[in-house]
Amino acid sequence: MDTEVAQLVKMSLVFHNLNKEAEARFGLSLVQYHLLVTLRDMPGCSQQKLADAAGMHPSTLTQSLKRLQRKRAVFVGEDPKDSRKKILSMTRSGRELLSKLSRGFGELLLL
Amino acid sequence: MKYFFSGTGLQVLESLSFTDTLYAFDFDGTIAPIVSKPELACASRETERLLNELTDLVPVVIISGRSVVDLRGRLKFNGKYLIGNHGLEGFCGRKDAVGKAEVNCRTWIRQLDRARGLIKKTAGIFIEDKTYSLALHYRKSRNKKLARMQLFSLIEKLQPPPRVILGKCVMNLVSAGGPHKGVALLEAIMKLNLKCAFYIGDDDTDEDVFSLTDNRIITARVGYKKTSQAQFFLKRQSEMNRLLRSLIRINSKRGS
């Protein structure tokens, strides 16, 4: 079991570094990329629906969304059906960031 | 409901262009303005031109209560996808449901013919036979409330009982259990292998789409209605060309 745990920890560290490197080089972490790709196909969805689709806990999602909002990659607007709720959609800047990381993904894996 | 040409509406509209989206439109009251005689309904040349320009960029479908033959006659549409009779006809049509709907319509027409005396008393009511569904119009009636009541009393005696979809001064009779515009739109998304859809319509028959609880569909209604399930609205049909121009502009930038 010790070996398995050690491998899991190593994998987690590799992913953490890759995530940081992606954000530094392309302006988007891998987690943010996953969120944006999910959101791209669900324009105008709620935060809860996005969390379900992305397989993330809503509180984790909130943090990532705040970062994406700061990058102007995500638009947060009032839900037209219920003003107490919010809807999300990807912006043009978000799409540009997605393309940038898609193009550079191979380069990232070679690091 | 939120006005479409607000910040949120335009932002959502733009985000639809980042994925594979189907753009679906109702005909009467949406593509074409409402007129007193349904047989005179047609889209303006500019709307037709814009619709065809949009069709060159993205998948477009017209989903109407009219029959496909009728639609083809009144819209010069370059697109491949026309869905008629509230989802029964078109590329998503099912042969068994179509056959059943036609038989039901013949039966209802015979029953309505027998009650013609009652219909005559209320001037302005006329029946439009769309082969697979019926439209009972009362737009020309001077006493619309009475006409509506008389039509309801006629319809409740029909066998087999139809599904009644209320429209603007019209009652549409379709076979119960048959597809509706919502089903037709979902089938179209699936068959065309697309991820999202935008739908705009103007009356109660479109509520079958507006009330779908599907994340992939963005809906808009022509005319504000408090009880509508649509997300966005246009103030009037004359804003359609502005919407089409926005869609063309946004989707022209898809590759850039």
Side-chain angles (χ1 to χ4, degrees), chain A residues 41 49 80-81 92 95, chain B residues 1 14 19 229 231 254 256:
Chain A
D41 296 335
K49 294 264 167 74
K81 284 189 175 180
R92 193 160 284 276
R95 194 184 74 151
Chain B
M1 278 175 113
E14 183 172 47
T19 187
Q229 290 297 306
Q231 292 163 293
R254 266 167 76 101
S256 62

Side-chain angles (χ1 to χ4, degrees), chain B:
Chain B
M1 278 175 113
K2 246 186 173 352
Y3 182 47
F4 210 99
F5 295 110
S6 63
T8 307
L10 291 173
Q11 188 63 56
V12 171
L13 200 65
E14 183 172 47
S15 65
L16 284 169
S17 72
F18 303 146
T19 187
D20 302 323
T21 303
L22 175 65
Y23 293 86
F25 301 85
D26 171 39
F27 182 72
D28 291 270
T30 305
I31 294 291
I34 293 283
V35 286
S36 57
K37 293 178 181 173
E39 66 270 22
L40 297 180
C42 67
S44 72
R45 280 190 183 174
E46 179 64 359
T47 307
E48 267 182 353
R49 188 190 68 74
L50 292 168
L51 193 65
N52 285 322
E53 196 178 332
L54 182 67
T55 306
D56 292 337
L57 298 169
V58 288
V60 173
V61 62
I62 310 291
I63 307 178
S64 171
R66 289 179 184 271
S67 68
V68 168
V69 173
D70 187 6
L71 273 177
R72 283 213 177 99
R74 50 189 81 244
L75 182 69
K76 284 177 191 142
F77 178 56
N78 296 343
K80 288 184 278 185
Y81 312 119
L82 287 175
I83 299 176
N85 270 295
H86 308 280
L88 256 179
E89 273 187 293
F91 76 110
C92 295
R94 296 187 209 102
K95 278 185 180 167
D96 55 333
V98 169
K100 186 185 158 199
E102 191 170 3
V103 170
N104 286 346
C105 275
R106 297 309 107 215
T107 313
W108 294 332
I109 284 195
R110 280 198 298 276
Q111 292 170 27
L112 288 169
D113 273 347
R114 284 202 289 271
R116 194 174 277 171
L118 180 62
I119 293 175
K120 270 184 181 171
K121 281 179 209 163
T122 316
I125 290 178
F126 74 98
I127 301 170
E128 187 187 351
D129 181 359
K130 298 194 241 180
T131 313
Y132 308 111
S133 70
L134 298 182
L136 312 182
H137 296 270
Y138 58 96
R139 182 170 297 279
K140 290 182 199 163
S141 173
R142 284 187 183 171
N143 189 340
K144 292 191 171 54
K145 196 175 172 185
L146 179 66
R148 204 162 47 232
M149 280 170 63
Q150 291 203 332
L151 283 175
F152 272 130
S153 71
L154 276 178
I155 291 166
E156 70 180 8
K157 290 177 192 127
L158 292 178
Q159 288 298 328
R163 177 173 178 239
V164 183
I165 309 171
L166 302 176
K168 286 177 181 163
C169 296
V170 62
M171 291 184 189
N172 298 286
L173 308 186
V174 297
S175 291
H180 53 67
K181 286 183 174 182
V183 173
L185 182 67
L186 290 172
E187 281 186 347
I189 297 172
M190 198 176 73
K191 290 199 176 175
L192 297 173
N193 200 20
L194 299 168
K195 289 177 178 151
C196 290
F198 167 77
Y199 181 82
I200 181 161
D202 76 308
D203 74 9
D204 290 358
T205 62
D206 302 300
E207 291 295 330
D208 285 329
V209 181
F210 301 156
S211 57
L212 290 172
T213 51
D214 193 312
N215 277 323
R216 300 170 302 167
I217 302 167
I218 299 295
T219 56
R221 187 182 193 277
V222 178
Y224 177 81
K225 189 181 178 190
K226 202 176 178 182
T227 54
S228 173
Q229 290 297 306
Q231 292 163 293
F232 297 96
F233 72 95
L234 296 186
K235 286 176 187 163
R236 55 193 77 86
Q237 194 275 333
S238 56
E239 286 188 322
M240 267 308 291
N241 287 358
R242 185 181 170 194
L243 173 70
L244 287 168
R245 279 189 204 103
S246 300
L247 288 172
I248 292 165
R249 182 176 44 78
I250 287 167
N251 284 291
S252 303
K253 290 194 246 167
R254 266 167 76 101
S256 62

